[in-house]
């Protein structure tokens, strides 16, 4: 029914209702309503005819401009759409639909930065446009800003009943190596719509990431008979078996499974290579990597990066760098070219912007590479990372400044794109120097906070050794380098005050350790949040007599701070991070840590714990 066919009574009733909706009195409000209806039906011509007069009579009202902007989007006229939504924004500056329209207009014009800017504002303002959220995730993934995008989209994904949004966010977090966070959204996609194959595989992956490994394997066996993408299921199952240390079964599964795609087989060979490293078969591991990399026309980036890391661990830095450098997708790499880190390029820069990548521990480790970089005299170095780094980097040995990544990405900080370098690209200089040439402490703990914490611990210790401990990585694969706190406590000196350096709720683990070692006293210091307060964490570490930790952020901080009595338990096999090399008790990275190596990746830490137990009293 159109405006013209309504009775007077019906028209008055509809006008009254439309006036409340659109903020315009009279028949023009009804015209807007009809224009929206026409737009939804795909009748662009009618929508324009109805809305255009309203933009003239009520230019401050956003709705007419929104309709014109949406019509322009329909016609793929991005520049025109941006102009119309820009006018709408003047009347409705907080409307998520208006901001979303601007984002889509910029997408049509291939203007990426304005597109992600307006899409983020729309999502934060409460947009429920699943299509827009999906576009935003894709753009941010291509830009290498996966974690920033996740912070924006996660509240919307929890609010919306959109399996597509949850699946896209979960997959992106998995690509960003955040399996714990990915699990929530992969599971949510399946719960919202459990029938599609992609959602069932998402649920399987969520079980893996939640370390519900028996459930994962049981579901995987069922899916192998019901889904088309059997390769994806097989890779998940192989990973679950490896985390359970069922290494023979991983190899048998890989040899007996009929992979449908070269990509699936390549990923399986990457997992087999990890198993062969766990068995100390390094020649076999290298052969598996090389086979995986030559199976497809388009190399699998994750396999290339893993092979580069494998070579780095062996000290083959020149050979490993091209593979490690291929760790980013092309759109992301195009924005920060590898050429920016070449010696000749760095020598010409007066300003160098180092972009964070990977986790906090890796970022701390690779900062040391500044000692090797051939920088121009007087070059100003700025590290772009999250806000937690600001206080930690104060007074660092490199004179490196900190810039919050949100400020940088917000566009208020102007930088020459030729001066942007990924932190990991500095690994190219390792081949030009002796092993360990970049070593030495470079971070400084806040002396006032350190001394304050030290006095508190001394008062509680009453002369006993003060030992800080970290024993667990909460990530999926990190469990292969973790152990129980009660087991670690076997290596601690009699009567020690044990300071908990582990993040999260550890009450059950501490209770078990206290029962096993009643002579020890345990402290969880509420003044320090190891996740949120890196500077406080650094001060806490330097307030201790001794640190005993697995390979995690605690170890990297202790190394970068130069703690004189810090001991790290190093896992065997592929879970030994490349920084530590393959043998020896000396720390080849910082030159300050004491390494205690596991004999085999079996969950047995007897030898490294015995070495620590035999140390002189702290």
């Amino acid at each position: 029914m159109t405006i013209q066919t309504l009775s007077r009574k019906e028209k008055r009733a509809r006008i009254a209702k439309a006036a409340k909706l659109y903020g315009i009195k009279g028949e023009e409000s009804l015209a807007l309503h009809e224009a929206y209806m026409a737009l939804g039906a795909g009748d662009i011509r009618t929508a324009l005819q109805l809305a255009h007069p309203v933009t003239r009579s009520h230019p401050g009202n956003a709705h007419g401009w929104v309709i014109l902007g949406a019509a322009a989007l329909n016609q793929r006229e991005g520049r025109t759409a941006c102009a119309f939504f820009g006018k709408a924004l003047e009347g409705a500056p907080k409307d998520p639909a208006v901001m979303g329209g601007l984002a889509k207009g910029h997408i049509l014009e291939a203007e990426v930065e304005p597109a992600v800017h307006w899409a983020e504002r729309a999502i934060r303002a409460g947009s429920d446009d699943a299509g827009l959220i999906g576009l935003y995730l894709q753009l941010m993934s291509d830009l290498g800003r996966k974690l920033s995008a996740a912070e924006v989209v996660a509240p919307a994904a929890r609010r919306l009943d959109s399996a597509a949004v949850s699946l896209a966010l979960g997959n992106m977090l998995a690509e960003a190596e955040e399996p714990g966070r990915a699990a929530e959204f992969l599971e949510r996609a399946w719960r919202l719509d459990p029938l599609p194959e992609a959602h069932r595989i998402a649920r399987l992956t969520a079980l893996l990431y939640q370390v519900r490994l028996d459930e994962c394997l049981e579901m995987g066996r069922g899916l192998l008979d019901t889904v088309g993408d059997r390769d994806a299921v097989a890779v998940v199952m192989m990973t679950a078996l490896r985390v359970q240390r069922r290494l023979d079964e991983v190899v048998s599964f890989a040899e007996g499974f009929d992979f449908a795609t070269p990509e699936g087989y390549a990923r399986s060979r990457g997992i087999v290579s990890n198993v062969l490293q766990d068995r100390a078969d390094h020649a076999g591991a290298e052969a598996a990597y090389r086979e995986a990399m030559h199976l497809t026309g388009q190399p699998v980036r994750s396999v290339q990066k893993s092979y580069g890391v494998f070579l780095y661990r062996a000290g083959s830095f020149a050979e490993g760098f091209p593979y490690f450098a291929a760790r980013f997708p092309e759109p992301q790499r195009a924005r920060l070219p590898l050429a920016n880190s070449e010696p000749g390029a760095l020598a010409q820069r007066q300003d160098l912007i180092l972009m964070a990548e990977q986790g906090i521990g890796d970022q701390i480790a690779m900062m040391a590479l500044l000692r090797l970089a051939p920088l121009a005299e007087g070059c100003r170095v700025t590290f772009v990372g999250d806000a937690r780094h600001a206080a930690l980097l104060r007074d660092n040995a490199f004179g490196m400044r900190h810039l919050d990544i949100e400020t940088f990405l917000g566009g208020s900080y102007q930088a020459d794109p030729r001066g942007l370098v990924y932190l990991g690209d500095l690994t190219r200089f390792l081949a030009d120097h002796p092993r360990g040439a970049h070593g030495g402490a470079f971070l400084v703990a806040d002396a006032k906070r350190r001394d304050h914490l030290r006095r508190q611990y001394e008062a509680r210790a009453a002369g006993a050794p003060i030992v800080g401990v970290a024993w667990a990585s909460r990530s999926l694969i990190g469990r292969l380098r973790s152990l129980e706190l009660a087991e670690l406590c076997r290596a601690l000196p009699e009567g020690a005050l044990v300071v908990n350096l582990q993040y999260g709720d550890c009450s059950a683990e501490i209770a078990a350790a206290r029962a096993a070692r009643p002579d020890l006293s345990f402290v969880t210091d509420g003044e320090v949040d190891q996740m949120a307060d890196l500077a406080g964490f650094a001060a806490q570490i330097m307030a201790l007599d001794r640190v005993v930790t697995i390979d995690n952020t605690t170890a990297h901080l202790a190394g970068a701070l130069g703690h004189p009595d810090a001991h790290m338990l190093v896992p065997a096999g592929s879970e030994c991070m490349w920084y530590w090399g393959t043998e020896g008790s000396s720390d080849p990275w910082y030159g300050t840590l004491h390494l205690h190596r596991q004999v085999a990746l079996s969950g047995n830490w007897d030898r490294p714990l015995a070495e620590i137990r035999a140390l002189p009293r702290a």
Side-chain angles (χ1 to χ4, degrees), residues 137-198:
L137 287 174
Q138 183 59 59
L139 289 173
M140 292 291 279
S141 180
D142 289 344
L143 292 171
R145 304 175 190 169
K146 296 182 178 71
L147 297 183
S148 295
E151 295 301 322
V152 173
V153 172
R158 295 186 183 105
R159 185 181 72 249
L160 302 176
D161 289 334
S162 171
V165 168
S166 291
L167 181 64
L169 178 57
N171 285 336
M172 190 184 72
L173 283 166
E175 291 172 5
E177 300 180 2
E178 290 283 343
R181 296 169 64 188
E184 173 190 350
F185 298 102
L186 295 173
E187 177 91 7
R188 180 175 174 80
W190 173 77
R191 291 192 180 280
L192 288 170
D193 188 0
L195 295 180
E197 175 179 309

Side-chain angles (χ1 to χ4, degrees), residues 245 469-475 477-492 502 506 509-510 512-513 548-552 567-571 596 598 601-610 612-613:
R245 298 187 177 90
V469 295
W471 60 93
S473 171
R474 307 303 187 188
S475 68
I477 299 299
R479 290 171 183 264
L480 294 176
R481 58 178 183 264
S482 303
L483 72 166
E484 296 294 328
L485 173 61
E487 183 181 10
L488 184 148
C489 284
R490 291 194 286 117
L492 302 186
Q502 192 72 43
C506 308
E509 294 157 287
I510 291 173
V548 179
T549 180
I550 63 166
D551 181 0
N552 59 7
H567 301 265
M568 184 175 72
L569 283 74
V570 183
H596 304 272
Q598 193 180 40
L601 190 71
S602 61
N604 187 317
W605 294 95
D606 286 350
R607 189 175 81 173
L609 291 176
I612 295 172
R613 187 166 54 248

Side-chain angles (χ1 to χ4, degrees), residues 50 103 109 156 159 226 243 315 423 441 458 566:
L50 290 168
E109 293 299 304
R159 185 181 72 249
T226 60
V243 175
L423 189 59
E458 285 180 333

Side-chain angles (χ1 to χ4, degrees), residues 211-394:
V211 202
R212 297 160 62 183
L213 301 178
D214 290 336
E215 294 175 72
C216 174
L217 290 168
E218 182 180 358
M219 182 179 183
R221 285 187 285 270
L223 287 178
L224 286 177
D225 297 327
T226 60
V227 301
D229 191 0
R230 299 175 73 246
D231 287 7
V233 175
V235 168
V236 171
M237 293 179 68
M238 289 175 64
T239 304
L241 289 168
R242 179 170 175 256
V243 175
Q244 289 184 330
R245 298 187 177 90
R246 295 159 65 177
L247 304 186
D248 291 341
E249 292 181 58
V250 175
V251 177
S252 297
F253 189 106
E255 291 175 348
F257 190 81
D258 184 17
F259 287 91
T261 66
E263 291 80 9
Y265 184 67
R267 288 189 170 87
S268 78
R269 298 309 294 166
I271 297 172
V272 168
S273 181
N274 285 334
V275 169
L276 294 173
Q277 291 174 70
D278 298 341
R279 291 174 169 174
D281 181 0
H282 300 296
E286 180 161 13
Y289 274 134
R290 289 193 173 276
E291 182 184 7
M293 289 187 298
H294 292 95
L295 284 171
T296 67
Q298 296 294 323
V300 179
R301 283 195 315 277
S302 61
V303 176
Q304 285 187 299
K305 177 185 175 182
S306 295
Y307 183 52
V309 166
F310 171 81
L311 293 170
Y312 276 7
R313 187 187 302 114
S316 300
F317 297 113
E319 185 182 355
F321 180 69
Y323 299 101
F324 185 74
R327 63 199 181 278
F328 298 120
E330 283 303 318
Q332 184 175 348
R333 175 53 85 184
R335 299 182 68 82
L336 271 77
L338 188 60
N340 286 4
S341 65
E342 291 178 353
L346 291 184
Q348 298 177 28
R349 307 303 312 168
Q350 288 302 309
D351 284 284
L352 176 65
I353 309 294
L354 285 178
M355 300 297 297
E357 57 171 303
Q358 303 185 59
I360 293 294
D362 296 290
Q363 291 169 28
I364 292 170
M366 288 190 285
M367 287 175 186
L369 296 172
L370 276 171
R371 287 198 171 101
L372 308 183
L375 301 182
E377 185 71 26
C379 179
R380 293 177 296 274
V381 180
T382 301
F383 175 72
V384 177
D386 70 39
R388 292 177 292 172
H389 288 101
L392 177 66
L393 292 179
R394 193 173 295 133

Side-chain angles (χ1 to χ4, degrees), residues 10-70:
E10 289 173 330
K11 184 181 291 187
R12 283 196 300 269
R14 292 202 177 186
I15 287 173
K17 185 176 181 180
K20 292 181 180 179
L21 288 174
Y22 305 117
I24 299 177
K25 296 180 179 180
E27 292 191 6
E28 287 173 313
S29 64
L30 199 53
L32 284 176
H33 185 73
E34 292 288 333
Y36 273 121
M37 297 296 290
L39 192 66
D43 186 354
I44 305 301
R45 182 178 179 180
T46 298
L48 291 173
Q49 289 175 339
L50 290 168
H52 187 256
V54 179
T55 62
R56 291 184 173 181
S57 59
H58 295 81
N61 185 280
H63 290 285
W65 300 112
V66 167
I67 293 166
L68 297 188

